Amino acid sequence: MRFALDEQQRDFAAAIDAAMGAADVPTAVRAWAAGDPAPGRKVWAQLAELGVTALMVPEEFDGIGAHPVDLVVACERLGRWCVPGPVAESIAVAPVLLAGDERSAALAAGELIATVALPPHTPRAVDADVANLALLAGDGTVVEAQAGQRHDSVDPARRLFELTAGGEQRPADTARAYEFGVLATAAQLVGAAQAMLDLSVEYAKQRHQFGRPIGSYQAIKHKLADVHIAIELARPLVYGAALSLADGSPDTARDVSAAKVAAGDAALRAARSSLQTHGAIGFTAEHDLSLWLLRVQALRTAWGDPVTHRRRVLEGLS
């Protein structure tokens, strides 16, 4: 059997690439980290125009009601461009928690950017100071919340906040919402890994050592090839998890966790290889590579750390 994206999905990915490529996302990320969300909000407005914010919102609330595979297509591209903000929370998780809620229409239109805390694996909400809506979920319920104490993340563009419930609880499919959060995060990690690989390949063509481009050395070729293989092993697991989630498979937890582990491992391998390829310049905050290096470290533990997901895979296999 051959699995591949259809033409519409490929065009959707290309449209996101075109919009983000013209948006100067690195500048928006740095401004977001410095406490100025305005450039980042412009990026989100462009995503709304493309329908990204409406993907998982039902059609009855002016959403698209898309397949989880479409979500993966979008989130991989957003990871590729290092888009700031609560991507998994607002685009993937909030639509599940707000099922049947009229606020879903504002979410689809991009008028609302939502963030979510879902203890125990996601105890704090990212960017609650920028989001229009903060949700605290758990044990089959969700409640609107207010941001409390702030905590710094390894990624300065991802501020974490304690949430305090401040509204009436309503029932929600929190178990399914969690799987969507993990899936969207895994897709971003694959996109980030691909971005770092692309940066490294281009830099290897430009950087010279002993009179030759470093990309001509077998050791560099093998290292970059290993990253490519890791990404190509992780990507089908992420798409497979999307299919599992769409079908309501009893193996969904196992499949989603396997995708998260593989995506995190690929992204970490890409990060290490990128640093080794770039050399000293890769350690500088001024180089755009630093944005993905920090993002990967944050996303590897977001929505459950590797130990948690390896445990879920083991439990699913036993």
Side-chain angles (χ1 to χ4, degrees), residues 82 154-156 189 192-193 195-196 199-200 267-276 278-279 281-285 287-300:
C82 205
V154 65
D155 180 355
L189 282 165
M196 289 186 288
L199 284 172
S200 297
L268 184 60
R269 181 182 289 271
R272 289 172 174 168
S273 177
S274 296
L275 276 176
Q276 292 169 337
H278 282 76
I281 194 174
F283 289 90
T284 64
H287 197 286
D288 288 348
L289 175 63
S290 65
L291 304 179
W292 281 278
L293 293 175
L294 295 171
R295 184 61 52 84
V296 162
Q297 291 300 325
L299 292 183
R300 283 188 72 243

PDB file of all heavy atoms in Angstrom, residues 82 154-156 189 192-193 195-196 199-200 267-276 278-279 281-285 287-300:
ATOM      1  N   CYS A  82       8.525  27.704  12.868  1.00  0.00           N
ATOM      2  CA  CYS A  82       8.708  28.120  14.263  1.00  0.00           C
ATOM      3  C   CYS A  82       7.695  29.193  14.670  1.00  0.00           C
ATOM      4  O   CYS A  82       8.027  30.172  15.356  1.00  0.00           O
ATOM      5  CB  CYS A  82      10.129  28.632  14.485  1.00  0.00           C
ATOM      6  SG  CYS A  82      10.714  28.503  16.189  1.00  0.00           S
ATOM      7  N   VAL A 154      12.390  26.963  28.779  1.00  0.00           N
ATOM      8  CA  VAL A 154      13.685  26.943  28.107  1.00  0.00           C
ATOM      9  C   VAL A 154      13.617  27.753  26.821  1.00  0.00           C
ATOM     10  O   VAL A 154      14.612  28.297  26.357  1.00  0.00           O
ATOM     11  CB  VAL A 154      14.118  25.491  27.826  1.00  0.00           C
ATOM     12  CG1 VAL A 154      13.174  24.812  26.834  1.00  0.00           C
ATOM     13  CG2 VAL A 154      15.547  25.436  27.300  1.00  0.00           C
ATOM     14  N   ASP A 155      12.423  27.853  26.255  1.00  0.00           N
ATOM     15  CA  ASP A 155      12.183  28.676  25.073  1.00  0.00           C
ATOM     16  C   ASP A 155      11.554  29.985  25.545  1.00  0.00           C
ATOM     17  O   ASP A 155      10.419  30.002  26.014  1.00  0.00           O
ATOM     18  CB  ASP A 155      11.235  27.948  24.122  1.00  0.00           C
ATOM     19  CG  ASP A 155      10.938  28.740  22.861  1.00  0.00           C
ATOM     20  OD1 ASP A 155      11.385  29.898  22.759  1.00  0.00           O
ATOM     21  OD2 ASP A 155      10.250  28.200  21.974  1.00  0.00           O
ATOM     22  N   PRO A 156      12.269  31.112  25.453  1.00  0.00           N
ATOM     23  CA  PRO A 156      11.714  32.382  25.946  1.00  0.00           C
ATOM     24  C   PRO A 156      10.459  32.831  25.221  1.00  0.00           C
ATOM     25  O   PRO A 156       9.740  33.693  25.719  1.00  0.00           O
ATOM     26  CB  PRO A 156      12.871  33.373  25.729  1.00  0.00           C
ATOM     27  CG  PRO A 156      13.748  32.745  24.702  1.00  0.00           C
ATOM     28  CD  PRO A 156      13.630  31.272  24.915  1.00  0.00           C
ATOM     29  N   LEU A 189       7.270  19.053  15.956  1.00  0.00           N
ATOM     30  CA  LEU A 189       8.644  18.577  16.134  1.00  0.00           C
ATOM     31  C   LEU A 189       9.222  18.062  14.815  1.00  0.00           C
ATOM     32  O   LEU A 189      10.394  18.296  14.509  1.00  0.00           O
ATOM     33  CB  LEU A 189       8.681  17.471  17.194  1.00  0.00           C
ATOM     34  CG  LEU A 189       8.599  17.954  18.641  1.00  0.00           C
ATOM     35  CD1 LEU A 189       8.266  16.792  19.584  1.00  0.00           C
ATOM     36  CD2 LEU A 189       9.913  18.617  19.074  1.00  0.00           C
ATOM     37  N   ALA A 192      10.055  21.119  12.797  1.00  0.00           N
ATOM     38  CA  ALA A 192      11.254  21.775  13.316  1.00  0.00           C
ATOM     39  C   ALA A 192      12.510  20.996  12.936  1.00  0.00           C
ATOM     40  O   ALA A 192      13.544  21.585  12.582  1.00  0.00           O
ATOM     41  CB  ALA A 192      11.165  21.916  14.830  1.00  0.00           C
ATOM     42  N   ALA A 193      12.439  19.671  13.007  1.00  0.00           N
ATOM     43  CA  ALA A 193      13.577  18.840  12.622  1.00  0.00           C
ATOM     44  C   ALA A 193      13.921  19.055  11.150  1.00  0.00           C
ATOM     45  O   ALA A 193      15.099  19.176  10.779  1.00  0.00           O
ATOM     46  CB  ALA A 193      13.271  17.366  12.885  1.00  0.00           C
ATOM     47  N   ALA A 195      13.306  21.712   9.371  1.00  0.00           N
ATOM     48  CA  ALA A 195      13.867  23.056   9.217  1.00  0.00           C
ATOM     49  C   ALA A 195      15.352  23.072   9.561  1.00  0.00           C
ATOM     50  O   ALA A 195      16.165  23.672   8.841  1.00  0.00           O
ATOM     51  CB  ALA A 195      13.109  24.040  10.109  1.00  0.00           C
ATOM     52  N   MET A 196      15.712  22.423  10.664  1.00  0.00           N
ATOM     53  CA  MET A 196      17.122  22.402  11.070  1.00  0.00           C
ATOM     54  C   MET A 196      17.975  21.609  10.097  1.00  0.00           C
ATOM     55  O   MET A 196      19.125  21.968   9.820  1.00  0.00           O
ATOM     56  CB  MET A 196      17.243  21.839  12.491  1.00  0.00           C
ATOM     57  CG  MET A 196      16.705  22.793  13.552  1.00  0.00           C
ATOM     58  SD  MET A 196      17.002  22.224  15.237  1.00  0.00           S
ATOM     59  CE  MET A 196      15.840  20.858  15.330  1.00  0.00           C
ATOM     60  N   LEU A 199      18.527  23.885   7.101  1.00  0.00           N
ATOM     61  CA  LEU A 199      19.531  24.900   7.423  1.00  0.00           C
ATOM     62  C   LEU A 199      20.942  24.315   7.402  1.00  0.00           C
ATOM     63  O   LEU A 199      21.885  24.943   6.903  1.00  0.00           O
ATOM     64  CB  LEU A 199      19.244  25.501   8.801  1.00  0.00           C
ATOM     65  CG  LEU A 199      18.095  26.497   8.925  1.00  0.00           C
ATOM     66  CD1 LEU A 199      17.838  26.830  10.389  1.00  0.00           C
ATOM     67  CD2 LEU A 199      18.389  27.767   8.136  1.00  0.00           C
ATOM     68  N   SER A 200      21.074  23.113   7.951  1.00  0.00           N
ATOM     69  CA  SER A 200      22.388  22.481   8.025  1.00  0.00           C
ATOM     70  C   SER A 200      22.918  22.113   6.644  1.00  0.00           C
ATOM     71  O   SER A 200      24.109  22.277   6.358  1.00  0.00           O
ATOM     72  CB  SER A 200      22.316  21.231   8.904  1.00  0.00           C
ATOM     73  OG  SER A 200      21.967  21.569  10.223  1.00  0.00           O
ATOM     74  N   ALA A 267      13.890  15.252  16.187  1.00  0.00           N
ATOM     75  CA  ALA A 267      14.176  16.672  16.382  1.00  0.00           C
ATOM     76  C   ALA A 267      15.438  16.869  17.214  1.00  0.00           C
ATOM     77  O   ALA A 267      16.242  17.767  16.943  1.00  0.00           O
ATOM     78  CB  ALA A 267      12.984  17.360  17.048  1.00  0.00           C
ATOM     79  N   LEU A 268      15.629  16.033  18.229  1.00  0.00           N
ATOM     80  CA  LEU A 268      16.838  16.143  19.050  1.00  0.00           C
ATOM     81  C   LEU A 268      18.083  15.796  18.236  1.00  0.00           C
ATOM     82  O   LEU A 268      19.115  16.457  18.337  1.00  0.00           O
ATOM     83  CB  LEU A 268      16.726  15.213  20.260  1.00  0.00           C
ATOM     84  CG  LEU A 268      17.868  15.292  21.274  1.00  0.00           C
ATOM     85  CD1 LEU A 268      17.983  16.700  21.858  1.00  0.00           C
ATOM     86  CD2 LEU A 268      17.648  14.277  22.397  1.00  0.00           C
ATOM     87  N   ARG A 269      17.973  14.768  17.394  1.00  0.00           N
ATOM     88  CA  ARG A 269      19.098  14.396  16.532  1.00  0.00           C
ATOM     89  C   ARG A 269      19.411  15.538  15.555  1.00  0.00           C
ATOM     90  O   ARG A 269      20.572  15.869  15.304  1.00  0.00           O
ATOM     91  CB  ARG A 269      18.776  13.111  15.762  1.00  0.00           C
ATOM     92  CG  ARG A 269      19.903  12.637  14.849  1.00  0.00           C
ATOM     93  CD  ARG A 269      19.481  11.388  14.079  1.00  0.00           C
ATOM     94  NE  ARG A 269      19.383  10.233  14.943  1.00  0.00           N
ATOM     95  CZ  ARG A 269      20.386   9.404  15.213  1.00  0.00           C
ATOM     96  NH1 ARG A 269      21.582   9.625  14.678  1.00  0.00           N
ATOM     97  NH2 ARG A 269      20.214   8.364  15.988  1.00  0.00           N
ATOM     98  N   ALA A 270      18.354  16.161  15.019  1.00  0.00           N
ATOM     99  CA  ALA A 270      18.547  17.280  14.096  1.00  0.00           C
ATOM    100  C   ALA A 270      19.213  18.457  14.799  1.00  0.00           C
ATOM    101  O   ALA A 270      20.077  19.141  14.226  1.00  0.00           O
ATOM    102  CB  ALA A 270      17.206  17.706  13.503  1.00  0.00           C
ATOM    103  N   ALA A 271      18.824  18.702  16.046  1.00  0.00           N
ATOM    104  CA  ALA A 271      19.397  19.811  16.806  1.00  0.00           C
ATOM    105  C   ALA A 271      20.891  19.586  17.041  1.00  0.00           C
ATOM    106  O   ALA A 271      21.712  20.496  16.842  1.00  0.00           O
ATOM    107  CB  ALA A 271      18.667  19.972  18.129  1.00  0.00           C
ATOM    108  N   ARG A 272      21.255  18.392  17.461  1.00  0.00           N
ATOM    109  CA  ARG A 272      22.664  18.095  17.724  1.00  0.00           C
ATOM    110  C   ARG A 272      23.491  18.189  16.448  1.00  0.00           C
ATOM    111  O   ARG A 272      24.593  18.758  16.433  1.00  0.00           O
ATOM    112  CB  ARG A 272      22.781  16.700  18.337  1.00  0.00           C
ATOM    113  CG  ARG A 272      22.261  16.610  19.766  1.00  0.00           C
ATOM    114  CD  ARG A 272      22.217  15.175  20.250  1.00  0.00           C
ATOM    115  NE  ARG A 272      21.851  15.083  21.653  1.00  0.00           N
ATOM    116  CZ  ARG A 272      21.527  13.958  22.271  1.00  0.00           C
ATOM    117  NH1 ARG A 272      21.531  12.816  21.593  1.00  0.00           N
ATOM    118  NH2 ARG A 272      21.198  13.960  23.556  1.00  0.00           N
ATOM    119  N   SER A 273      22.960  17.641  15.367  1.00  0.00           N
ATOM    120  CA  SER A 273      23.674  17.676  14.105  1.00  0.00           C
ATOM    121  C   SER A 273      23.825  19.109  13.596  1.00  0.00           C
ATOM    122  O   SER A 273      24.872  19.480  13.049  1.00  0.00           O
ATOM    123  CB  SER A 273      22.935  16.829  13.060  1.00  0.00           C
ATOM    124  OG  SER A 273      23.565  16.888  11.811  1.00  0.00           O
ATOM    125  N   SER A 274      22.783  19.918  13.791  1.00  0.00           N
ATOM    126  CA  SER A 274      22.833  21.311  13.342  1.00  0.00           C
ATOM    127  C   SER A 274      23.911  22.086  14.075  1.00  0.00           C
ATOM    128  O   SER A 274      24.652  22.876  13.477  1.00  0.00           O
ATOM    129  CB  SER A 274      21.472  21.981  13.558  1.00  0.00           C
ATOM    130  OG  SER A 274      20.484  21.382  12.758  1.00  0.00           O
ATOM    131  N   LEU A 275      24.007  21.874  15.380  1.00  0.00           N
ATOM    132  CA  LEU A 275      25.048  22.556  16.157  1.00  0.00           C
ATOM    133  C   LEU A 275      26.445  22.143  15.697  1.00  0.00           C
ATOM    134  O   LEU A 275      27.345  22.972  15.563  1.00  0.00           O
ATOM    135  CB  LEU A 275      24.875  22.241  17.643  1.00  0.00           C
ATOM    136  CG  LEU A 275      23.863  23.096  18.410  1.00  0.00           C
ATOM    137  CD1 LEU A 275      23.730  22.592  19.841  1.00  0.00           C
ATOM    138  CD2 LEU A 275      24.276  24.557  18.403  1.00  0.00           C
ATOM    139  N   GLN A 276      26.616  20.853  15.444  1.00  0.00           N
ATOM    140  CA  GLN A 276      27.925  20.374  15.013  1.00  0.00           C
ATOM    141  C   GLN A 276      28.271  20.890  13.614  1.00  0.00           C
ATOM    142  O   GLN A 276      29.419  21.219  13.329  1.00  0.00           O
ATOM    143  CB  GLN A 276      27.944  18.845  15.032  1.00  0.00           C
ATOM    144  CG  GLN A 276      27.866  18.272  16.441  1.00  0.00           C
ATOM    145  CD  GLN A 276      27.608  16.784  16.456  1.00  0.00           C
ATOM    146  OE1 GLN A 276      27.073  16.230  15.495  1.00  0.00           O
ATOM    147  NE2 GLN A 276      27.976  16.128  17.546  1.00  0.00           N
ATOM    148  N   HIS A 278      27.062  23.724  12.138  1.00  0.00           N
ATOM    149  CA  HIS A 278      27.231  25.177  12.132  1.00  0.00           C
ATOM    150  C   HIS A 278      28.451  25.630  12.922  1.00  0.00           C
ATOM    151  O   HIS A 278      28.986  26.715  12.680  1.00  0.00           O
ATOM    152  CB  HIS A 278      25.980  25.862  12.694  1.00  0.00           C
ATOM    153  CG  HIS A 278      24.844  25.937  11.732  1.00  0.00           C
ATOM    154  ND1 HIS A 278      24.051  24.851  11.427  1.00  0.00           N
ATOM    155  CD2 HIS A 278      24.363  26.972  10.989  1.00  0.00           C
ATOM    156  CE1 HIS A 278      23.130  25.210  10.549  1.00  0.00           C
ATOM    157  NE2 HIS A 278      23.298  26.486  10.262  1.00  0.00           N
ATOM    158  N   GLY A 279      28.853  24.845  13.891  1.00  0.00           N
ATOM    159  CA  GLY A 279      29.981  25.265  14.715  1.00  0.00           C
ATOM    160  C   GLY A 279      29.587  26.373  15.669  1.00  0.00           C
ATOM    161  O   GLY A 279      28.432  26.459  16.097  1.00  0.00           O
ATOM    162  N   ILE A 281      28.861  29.471  15.437  1.00  0.00           N
ATOM    163  CA  ILE A 281      27.768  30.387  15.113  1.00  0.00           C
ATOM    164  C   ILE A 281      26.411  29.814  15.519  1.00  0.00           C
ATOM    165  O   ILE A 281      25.460  30.540  15.789  1.00  0.00           O
ATOM    166  CB  ILE A 281      27.773  30.731  13.603  1.00  0.00           C
ATOM    167  CG1 ILE A 281      26.871  31.943  13.344  1.00  0.00           C
ATOM    168  CG2 ILE A 281      27.345  29.536  12.756  1.00  0.00           C
ATOM    169  CD1 ILE A 281      26.932  32.451  11.916  1.00  0.00           C
ATOM    170  N   GLY A 282      26.325  28.491  15.586  1.00  0.00           N
ATOM    171  CA  GLY A 282      25.067  27.847  15.964  1.00  0.00           C
ATOM    172  C   GLY A 282      24.685  28.086  17.412  1.00  0.00           C
ATOM    173  O   GLY A 282      23.529  27.888  17.797  1.00  0.00           O
ATOM    174  N   PHE A 283      25.634  28.516  18.227  1.00  0.00           N
ATOM    175  CA  PHE A 283      25.365  28.766  19.641  1.00  0.00           C
ATOM    176  C   PHE A 283      24.913  30.194  19.908  1.00  0.00           C
ATOM    177  O   PHE A 283      24.598  30.539  21.038  1.00  0.00           O
ATOM    178  CB  PHE A 283      26.621  28.474  20.477  1.00  0.00           C
ATOM    179  CG  PHE A 283      26.960  27.016  20.581  1.00  0.00           C
ATOM    180  CD1 PHE A 283      27.794  26.419  19.660  1.00  0.00           C
ATOM    181  CD2 PHE A 283      26.423  26.234  21.594  1.00  0.00           C
ATOM    182  CE1 PHE A 283      28.110  25.069  19.736  1.00  0.00           C
ATOM    183  CE2 PHE A 283      26.727  24.887  21.681  1.00  0.00           C
ATOM    184  CZ  PHE A 283      27.569  24.296  20.756  1.00  0.00           C
ATOM    185  N   THR A 284      24.928  31.030  18.878  1.00  0.00           N
ATOM    186  CA  THR A 284      24.596  32.434  19.077  1.00  0.00           C
ATOM    187  C   THR A 284      23.097  32.678  18.965  1.00  0.00           C
ATOM    188  O   THR A 284      22.423  32.089  18.122  1.00  0.00           O
ATOM    189  CB  THR A 284      25.318  33.317  18.044  1.00  0.00           C
ATOM    190  OG1 THR A 284      24.845  32.994  16.724  1.00  0.00           O
ATOM    191  CG2 THR A 284      26.813  33.097  18.106  1.00  0.00           C
ATOM    192  N   ALA A 285      22.581  33.581  19.810  1.00  0.00           N
ATOM    193  CA  ALA A 285      21.160  33.908  19.781  1.00  0.00           C
ATOM    194  C   ALA A 285      20.784  34.664  18.520  1.00  0.00           C
ATOM    195  O   ALA A 285      19.613  34.669  18.115  1.00  0.00           O
ATOM    196  CB  ALA A 285      20.794  34.739  21.013  1.00  0.00           C
ATOM    197  N   HIS A 287      21.658  33.958  15.475  1.00  0.00           N
ATOM    198  CA  HIS A 287      21.410  33.056  14.343  1.00  0.00           C
ATOM    199  C   HIS A 287      20.023  32.422  14.504  1.00  0.00           C
ATOM    200  O   HIS A 287      19.647  31.988  15.596  1.00  0.00           O
ATOM    201  CB  HIS A 287      22.485  31.978  14.282  1.00  0.00           C
ATOM    202  CG  HIS A 287      22.555  31.284  12.959  1.00  0.00           C
ATOM    203  ND1 HIS A 287      21.620  30.369  12.549  1.00  0.00           N
ATOM    204  CD2 HIS A 287      23.454  31.395  11.930  1.00  0.00           C
ATOM    205  CE1 HIS A 287      21.928  29.924  11.342  1.00  0.00           C
ATOM    206  NE2 HIS A 287      23.041  30.535  10.942  1.00  0.00           N
ATOM    207  N   ASP A 288      19.276  32.339  13.422  1.00  0.00           N
ATOM    208  CA  ASP A 288      17.908  31.801  13.491  1.00  0.00           C
ATOM    209  C   ASP A 288      17.857  30.354  13.957  1.00  0.00           C
ATOM    210  O   ASP A 288      16.831  29.905  14.483  1.00  0.00           O
ATOM    211  CB  ASP A 288      17.219  31.919  12.131  1.00  0.00           C
ATOM    212  CG  ASP A 288      16.859  33.359  11.776  1.00  0.00           C
ATOM    213  OD1 ASP A 288      16.945  34.223  12.672  1.00  0.00           O
ATOM    214  OD2 ASP A 288      16.496  33.612  10.610  1.00  0.00           O
ATOM    215  N   LEU A 289      18.950  29.624  13.788  1.00  0.00           N
ATOM    216  CA  LEU A 289      18.973  28.242  14.255  1.00  0.00           C
ATOM    217  C   LEU A 289      18.615  28.156  15.732  1.00  0.00           C
ATOM    218  O   LEU A 289      17.963  27.201  16.172  1.00  0.00           O
ATOM    219  CB  LEU A 289      20.361  27.633  14.018  1.00  0.00           C
ATOM    220  CG  LEU A 289      20.593  26.228  14.566  1.00  0.00           C
ATOM    221  CD1 LEU A 289      19.663  25.223  13.897  1.00  0.00           C
ATOM    222  CD2 LEU A 289      22.061  25.816  14.386  1.00  0.00           C
ATOM    223  N   SER A 290      19.014  29.163  16.503  1.00  0.00           N
ATOM    224  CA  SER A 290      18.756  29.147  17.942  1.00  0.00           C
ATOM    225  C   SER A 290      17.264  29.067  18.259  1.00  0.00           C
ATOM    226  O   SER A 290      16.866  28.511  19.288  1.00  0.00           O
ATOM    227  CB  SER A 290      19.353  30.392  18.604  1.00  0.00           C
ATOM    228  OG  SER A 290      18.699  31.573  18.150  1.00  0.00           O
ATOM    229  N   LEU A 291      16.429  29.616  17.388  1.00  0.00           N
ATOM    230  CA  LEU A 291      14.983  29.603  17.633  1.00  0.00           C
ATOM    231  C   LEU A 291      14.448  28.178  17.615  1.00  0.00           C
ATOM    232  O   LEU A 291      13.643  27.789  18.472  1.00  0.00           O
ATOM    233  CB  LEU A 291      14.256  30.443  16.579  1.00  0.00           C
ATOM    234  CG  LEU A 291      14.715  31.905  16.446  1.00  0.00           C
ATOM    235  CD1 LEU A 291      13.920  32.603  15.347  1.00  0.00           C
ATOM    236  CD2 LEU A 291      14.567  32.636  17.778  1.00  0.00           C
ATOM    237  N   TRP A 292      14.911  27.378  16.661  1.00  0.00           N
ATOM    238  CA  TRP A 292      14.456  25.980  16.588  1.00  0.00           C
ATOM    239  C   TRP A 292      15.089  25.125  17.675  1.00  0.00           C
ATOM    240  O   TRP A 292      14.445  24.213  18.195  1.00  0.00           O
ATOM    241  CB  TRP A 292      14.776  25.401  15.202  1.00  0.00           C
ATOM    242  CG  TRP A 292      13.807  25.830  14.154  1.00  0.00           C
ATOM    243  CD1 TRP A 292      12.566  25.276  13.890  1.00  0.00           C
ATOM    244  CD2 TRP A 292      13.952  26.911  13.231  1.00  0.00           C
ATOM    245  NE1 TRP A 292      11.962  25.939  12.865  1.00  0.00           N
ATOM    246  CE2 TRP A 292      12.787  26.952  12.432  1.00  0.00           C
ATOM    247  CE3 TRP A 292      14.959  27.838  12.991  1.00  0.00           C
ATOM    248  CZ2 TRP A 292      12.606  27.885  11.412  1.00  0.00           C
ATOM    249  CZ3 TRP A 292      14.781  28.776  11.977  1.00  0.00           C
ATOM    250  CH2 TRP A 292      13.618  28.795  11.205  1.00  0.00           C
ATOM    251  N   LEU A 293      16.348  25.418  18.010  1.00  0.00           N
ATOM    252  CA  LEU A 293      16.996  24.648  19.069  1.00  0.00           C
ATOM    253  C   LEU A 293      16.223  24.767  20.378  1.00  0.00           C
ATOM    254  O   LEU A 293      15.991  23.766  21.075  1.00  0.00           O
ATOM    255  CB  LEU A 293      18.432  25.146  19.268  1.00  0.00           C
ATOM    256  CG  LEU A 293      19.412  24.906  18.123  1.00  0.00           C
ATOM    257  CD1 LEU A 293      20.741  25.574  18.423  1.00  0.00           C
ATOM    258  CD2 LEU A 293      19.610  23.418  17.870  1.00  0.00           C
ATOM    259  N   LEU A 294      15.809  25.973  20.714  1.00  0.00           N
ATOM    260  CA  LEU A 294      15.061  26.196  21.946  1.00  0.00           C
ATOM    261  C   LEU A 294      13.640  25.642  21.841  1.00  0.00           C
ATOM    262  O   LEU A 294      13.113  25.072  22.805  1.00  0.00           O
ATOM    263  CB  LEU A 294      15.024  27.695  22.264  1.00  0.00           C
ATOM    264  CG  LEU A 294      16.385  28.323  22.591  1.00  0.00           C
ATOM    265  CD1 LEU A 294      16.266  29.835  22.672  1.00  0.00           C
ATOM    266  CD2 LEU A 294      16.945  27.762  23.890  1.00  0.00           C
ATOM    267  N   ARG A 295      13.020  25.805  20.670  1.00  0.00           N
ATOM    268  CA  ARG A 295      11.660  25.305  20.501  1.00  0.00           C
ATOM    269  C   ARG A 295      11.599  23.791  20.657  1.00  0.00           C
ATOM    270  O   ARG A 295      10.687  23.240  21.285  1.00  0.00           O
ATOM    271  CB  ARG A 295      11.130  25.748  19.132  1.00  0.00           C
ATOM    272  CG  ARG A 295       9.660  25.369  18.844  1.00  0.00           C
ATOM    273  CD  ARG A 295       8.684  26.002  19.829  1.00  0.00           C
ATOM    274  NE  ARG A 295       8.896  27.442  19.928  1.00  0.00           N
ATOM    275  CZ  ARG A 295       8.358  28.325  19.082  1.00  0.00           C
ATOM    276  NH1 ARG A 295       7.580  27.917  18.090  1.00  0.00           N
ATOM    277  NH2 ARG A 295       8.577  29.621  19.254  1.00  0.00           N
ATOM    278  N   VAL A 296      12.581  23.097  20.087  1.00  0.00           N
ATOM    279  CA  VAL A 296      12.601  21.638  20.181  1.00  0.00           C
ATOM    280  C   VAL A 296      12.746  21.185  21.628  1.00  0.00           C
ATOM    281  O   VAL A 296      12.057  20.248  22.071  1.00  0.00           O
ATOM    282  CB  VAL A 296      13.751  21.069  19.316  1.00  0.00           C
ATOM    283  CG1 VAL A 296      14.080  19.633  19.715  1.00  0.00           C
ATOM    284  CG2 VAL A 296      13.368  21.126  17.851  1.00  0.00           C
ATOM    285  N   GLN A 297      13.621  21.842  22.381  1.00  0.00           N
ATOM    286  CA  GLN A 297      13.786  21.466  23.781  1.00  0.00           C
ATOM    287  C   GLN A 297      12.486  21.636  24.555  1.00  0.00           C
ATOM    288  O   GLN A 297      12.171  20.842  25.455  1.00  0.00           O
ATOM    289  CB  GLN A 297      14.905  22.306  24.416  1.00  0.00           C
ATOM    290  CG  GLN A 297      16.294  21.990  23.891  1.00  0.00           C
ATOM    291  CD  GLN A 297      16.693  20.542  24.132  1.00  0.00           C
ATOM    292  OE1 GLN A 297      16.344  19.940  25.139  1.00  0.00           O
ATOM    293  NE2 GLN A 297      17.427  19.968  23.187  1.00  0.00           N
ATOM    294  N   ALA A 298      11.717  22.680  24.228  1.00  0.00           N
ATOM    295  CA  ALA A 298      10.445  22.908  24.917  1.00  0.00           C
ATOM    296  C   ALA A 298       9.378  21.905  24.483  1.00  0.00           C
ATOM    297  O   ALA A 298       8.652  21.351  25.322  1.00  0.00           O
ATOM    298  CB  ALA A 298       9.971  24.338  24.653  1.00  0.00           C
ATOM    299  N   LEU A 299       9.289  21.648  23.181  1.00  0.00           N
ATOM    300  CA  LEU A 299       8.221  20.781  22.678  1.00  0.00           C
ATOM    301  C   LEU A 299       8.444  19.307  23.000  1.00  0.00           C
ATOM    302  O   LEU A 299       7.489  18.532  23.060  1.00  0.00           O
ATOM    303  CB  LEU A 299       8.076  20.961  21.168  1.00  0.00           C
ATOM    304  CG  LEU A 299       7.545  22.310  20.692  1.00  0.00           C
ATOM    305  CD1 LEU A 299       7.396  22.316  19.167  1.00  0.00           C
ATOM    306  CD2 LEU A 299       6.205  22.648  21.343  1.00  0.00           C
ATOM    307  N   ARG A 300       9.692  18.901  23.211  1.00  0.00           N
ATOM    308  CA  ARG A 300       9.957  17.495  23.543  1.00  0.00           C
ATOM    309  C   ARG A 300       9.262  17.084  24.841  1.00  0.00           C
ATOM    310  O   ARG A 300       8.883  15.921  25.009  1.00  0.00           O
ATOM    311  CB  ARG A 300      11.452  17.223  23.664  1.00  0.00           C
ATOM    312  CG  ARG A 300      12.175  17.107  22.351  1.00  0.00           C
ATOM    313  CD  ARG A 300      13.615  16.651  22.531  1.00  0.00           C
ATOM    314  NE  ARG A 300      13.697  15.245  22.913  1.00  0.00           N
ATOM    315  CZ  ARG A 300      14.202  14.806  24.054  1.00  0.00           C
ATOM    316  NH1 ARG A 300      14.665  15.663  24.962  1.00  0.00           N
ATOM    317  NH2 ARG A 300      14.261  13.514  24.301  1.00  0.00           N
TER     318      ARG A 300
END
